[in-house]
Amino acid sequence: MNMQAPPPHAGGNTSRRKPPRTPKGRQVDLQALEEVQALLTDRPRRRDLLIEHLHLIQDHYGHLSAAHLAALAAEMRMALTEVYEVATFYAHFDVVKEGETPPPPVTVRVCESLSCTMRGAEKLLAALPDKLGPNVRVVRAPCMGACDHAPAVAVGHVQTFNATPDKVAGAVAAQPHAHAWKPDADFAAYQARGGYALLKDCIAGTRTPDELIKIVSDAGLRGLGGAGFPTGRKWSLVRAEPAPRLFAVNADEGEPGTFKDRHYLERDPHRFLEGVLIAAWVVEARDTYIYIRDEYPEIRLMLLEEIEKLEQAGLTPHTKLHLRRGAGAYICGEESAMIESIEGKRGLPRHRPPYVAQVGLFGRPTLEQNVETMFWIRDIVEKGAAWFASHGRNERKGLRSFSVSGRVKNPGVKLAPAGITMRELIDEYCGGMEEGHAFKAYLPGGPSGGILPASMADIPLDFGTLEKYGCFVGSHAVVILSDQDDIKAVALNLMKFFEDESCGQCTPCRVGTEKAAALMAQGPWNVELLNELSTAMRDASICGLGQAAPNPLLCVLKYFPDELKKPLGKW
């Protein structure tokens, strides 16, 4: 058979198709390209810096226009679809399609997570649009890490604590000249107190990695971001993997009720940084990436300056420190989703195995730790394993930082012995319950950790003590509820948070949280259907978000059966 094409003149239409005047796809606007190039200056055009470059545009123009996205894609030699899917994944990027009206110059974000809702966030959301006028956009936002100063409101990137309509109006009037408060890290003062002496000993070879691994292991230090994996064991596992190895530090605490990392970074950042540099030395990580919440702009700016001081002081010969900025995605607190984000992608959790310690950042073995874990490294090594292990109650060992908010007199970060009970924590560290409120229930570990009644407030709080009750301490985010709080409304608030923050990758989580929230908003609750839905979410979701999302709901069904008979309350 002759497979050759017929000559052009062999019958039929002899006219030739004219070539298109322009290439296919959206064309790059030259002015937009020049504007993007002016922002990027000489910054590398690498894929892993895509989110950083999107922030530059968003910060300067207040939104991401279609023209700027197309120009950025051209400048970085990426497909526009890749840039667009990343830009639209993160809540803090305002993508404006062609023909759409850009948002007003000022955006006010009102935290609607549990602690802020308990303190009047819904009233703020109702009052602010009229108070601020049409030139200000008022939107709902998830936890901002200011639960002890609820309700929290962000005007641009500047947060207002214990917000009222008048306070927020004042913050709006101060725009665009208002700046976030920047903590004073005082590098010299930290060194004067013996800071970085341990790191210098490590770099000089006075200490050995095996020695530090043994001390940390004997102290019983665990990952304090939620999972509680033994730190010394994690270091050993990563060290056993082939070089080059990397290090990723999770400073993206997004669990509602959690603000302990913010507390330590604001008050003693160099103790954290020294721990980071020591851990990088132990596992021989050539590059270290610190991934920090976009909700903490003042801390990010401070860390940029302090990292530069460390480099100038010659304290980072063994690893290169990189600071990466989140963009409003709770899922990026999950280690593999965080790694995807650092690589400039959507924060979608990875399937496991392989684990991050084996195939992590840029495909290399990666150590992943959280802020508080690194904060304790210097003290544990200098004071000895026995010092850390000597703290604890009820046969538990170590110190724990509890982020406490809700109906207590004195909310805040409470450094307490591991194994302390909730009743002891309230009475000894929080000044008791708020006046006029009776202790009714508590969240031991944020929304993921479930809800327990006050009758179960004498259980030791630590890893492994609450799992048999369907709860866990996780990141030690404690929210105290009183007799004036509707438990069903609390559970619905938490489920709506999971619905909004689901990355959408897997159906059980994406659809399950939506359906559960819809069923919980109705009355009376269909207990059989909610149990069936919860089982599907727990068994089939890819990551911990979907697996833990039903916990508050199941706790209400198990521990608060009388609440099911009541109509759903309003805040």
Side-chain angles (χ1 to χ4, degrees):
M1 181 181 296
N2 185 0
M3 300 297 292
Q4 292 183 343
H9 58 272
N13 188 354
T14 59
S15 64
R16 295 188 178 185
R17 180 180 300 172
K18 295 181 179 179
R21 294 183 178 180
T22 59
K24 292 182 178 180
R26 182 183 299 276
Q27 302 309 299
V28 176
D29 180 83
L30 293 182
Q31 180 180 344
L33 182 61
E34 291 175 358
E35 292 169 346
V36 168
Q37 290 171 339
L39 289 174
L40 298 186
T41 60
D42 59 350
R43 292 177 174 87
R45 270 59 167 173
R46 300 196 314 267
R47 167 63 194 261
D48 63 289
L49 293 173
L50 172 59
I51 294 174
E52 297 295 312
H53 296 344
L54 289 169
H55 273 303
L56 287 174
I57 301 172
Q58 172 84 27
D59 290 346
H60 187 82
Y61 292 100
H63 63 279
L64 300 174
S65 68
H68 283 142
L69 289 178
L72 181 62
E75 186 67 13
M76 297 186 69
R77 298 188 178 182
M78 293 176 59
L80 178 57
T81 52
E82 291 182 277
V83 175
Y84 185 82
E85 71 176 8
V86 172
T88 54
F89 180 85
Y90 295 92
H92 287 188
F93 292 141
D94 292 312
V95 177
V96 178
K97 299 178 181 178
E98 192 169 1
E100 289 184 345
T101 302
V106 178
T107 294
V108 171
R109 290 183 167 87
V110 179
C111 176
E112 64 170 351
S113 290
L114 180 59
S115 298
C116 287
T117 297
M118 292 166 63
R119 295 290 181 182
E122 291 298 329
K123 293 179 181 178
L124 276 175
L125 283 162
L128 286 177
D130 290 338
K131 179 79 173 179
L132 302 179
N135 294 325
V136 177
R137 179 178 58 161
V138 178
V139 298
R140 295 174 178 269
C143 186
M144 299 177 181
C147 317
D148 52 338
H149 300 292
V153 173
V155 179
H157 280 299
V158 183
Q159 292 187 8
T160 298
F161 297 153
N162 306 113
T164 64
D166 288 341
K167 275 189 177 182
V168 176
V172 170
Q175 291 287 316
H177 304 293
H179 298 283
W181 167 76
K182 190 173 64 174
D184 182 11
D186 206 337
F187 175 46
Y190 179 77
Q191 284 189 302
R193 299 191 301 270
Y196 293 110
L198 175 59
L199 174 64
K200 291 176 182 177
D201 286 346
C202 293
I203 295 172
T206 307
R207 300 275 192 164
T208 68
D210 290 339
E211 177 189 2
L212 265 62
I213 290 174
K214 186 179 188 307
I215 294 173
V216 168
S217 298
D218 290 346
L221 181 64
R222 305 177 71 160
L224 298 172
F229 194 86
T231 301
R233 185 181 172 195
K234 180 180 282 190
W235 288 3
S236 296
L237 290 172
V238 174
R239 272 184 61 85
E241 296 294 326
R245 294 178 284 274
L246 303 175
F247 185 13
V249 184
N250 191 339
D252 190 56
E253 56 176 358
E255 187 83 10
T258 306
F259 47 92
K260 60 188 177 70
D261 291 352
R262 178 181 196 161
H263 173 89
Y264 287 121
L265 288 171
E266 286 180 342
R267 286 158 179 79
D268 201 354
H270 279 286
R271 194 172 301 269
F272 156 73
L273 288 170
E274 184 170 9
V276 168
L277 292 171
I278 290 170
W281 172 80
V282 168
V283 301
E284 299 176 359
R286 70 179 188 185
D287 287 278
T288 297
Y289 293 80
I290 301 174
Y291 185 86
I292 190 163
R293 296 193 75 186
D294 196 32
E295 289 84 351
Y296 298 167
E298 68 285 353
I299 297 175
R300 182 181 65 86
L301 293 173
M302 176 269 293
L303 287 176
L304 281 172
E305 292 184 3
E306 301 312 306
I307 288 172
E308 185 177 356
K309 293 177 185 176
L310 292 176
E311 292 172 345
Q312 292 174 351
L315 293 172
T316 61
H318 57 297
T319 191
K320 173 67 176 176
L321 290 175
H322 307 267
L323 192 62
R324 292 297 174 85
R325 182 177 173 185
Y330 164 73
I331 191 62
C332 290
E334 196 274 340
E335 62 177 6
S336 65
M338 175 188 68
I339 283 173
E340 289 286 301
S341 188
I342 292 173
E343 293 179 357
K345 305 172 187 175
R346 295 176 294 168
L348 302 180
R350 297 177 180 178
H351 292 271
R352 288 178 263 190
Y355 295 95
V356 167
Q358 302 165 309
V359 182
L361 193 55
F362 306 118
R364 300 307 311 163
T366 303
L367 174 67
E368 188 273 342
Q369 304 271 213
N370 93 303
V371 169
E372 191 193 355
T373 307
M374 295 295 93
F375 186 86
W376 289 115
I377 298 302
R378 176 191 164 190
D379 282 335
I380 289 174
V381 176
E382 289 185 346
K383 298 178 181 179
W387 166 79
F388 190 76
S390 67
H391 299 86
R393 295 184 185 178
N394 299 305
E395 301 181 351
R396 314 302 294 186
K397 295 181 179 181
L399 291 166
R400 301 287 185 266
S401 300
F402 294 88
S403 305
V404 185
S405 61
R407 309 299 189 181
V408 292
K409 287 182 180 178
N410 303 316
V413 174
K414 311 298 178 180
L415 182 60
I420 193 173
T421 69
M422 187 58 65
R423 202 175 308 277
E424 292 169 339
L425 187 65
I426 294 172
D427 293 341
E428 297 178 29
Y429 289 82
C430 302
M433 293 293 294
E434 188 178 348
E435 293 296 333
H437 291 262
F439 183 28
K440 178 179 181 178
Y442 65 99
L443 278 66
S448 302
I451 309 172
L452 288 173
S455 60
M456 299 175 68
D458 296 313
I459 304 169
L461 299 174
D462 201 13
F463 299 110
T465 62
L466 300 178
E467 279 73 0
K468 62 183 178 181
Y469 305 109
C471 298
F472 53 81
V473 294
S475 61
H476 296 73
V478 171
V479 183
I480 305 299
L481 309 174
S482 78
D483 56 342
Q484 298 184 29
D485 296 311
D486 185 313
I487 299 298
K488 288 172 66 177
V490 167
L492 177 57
N493 176 279
L494 304 179
M495 187 60 74
K496 285 184 175 179
F497 167 78
F498 288 125
E499 177 190 2
D500 291 340
E501 294 298 327
S502 174
C503 74
Q505 180 178 195
C506 67
T507 302
C509 177
R510 181 185 69 250
V511 177
T513 52
E514 177 187 356
K515 297 299 182 184
L519 289 169
M520 293 166 71
Q522 301 171 2
W525 283 11
N526 187 328
V527 175
E528 182 179 356
L529 185 55
L530 286 170
N531 270 313
E532 182 180 353
L533 184 59
S534 298
T535 300
M537 293 169 64
R538 279 184 156 183
D539 292 346
S541 294
I542 290 175
C543 80
L545 191 155
Q547 295 163 9
N551 287 348
L553 160 63
L554 294 173
C555 285
V556 173
L557 299 180
K558 184 176 182 179
Y559 298 116
F560 304 91
D562 292 342
E563 299 286 331
L564 301 178
K565 303 173 186 177
K566 303 176 183 178
L568 182 67
K570 295 184 179 179
W571 299 101

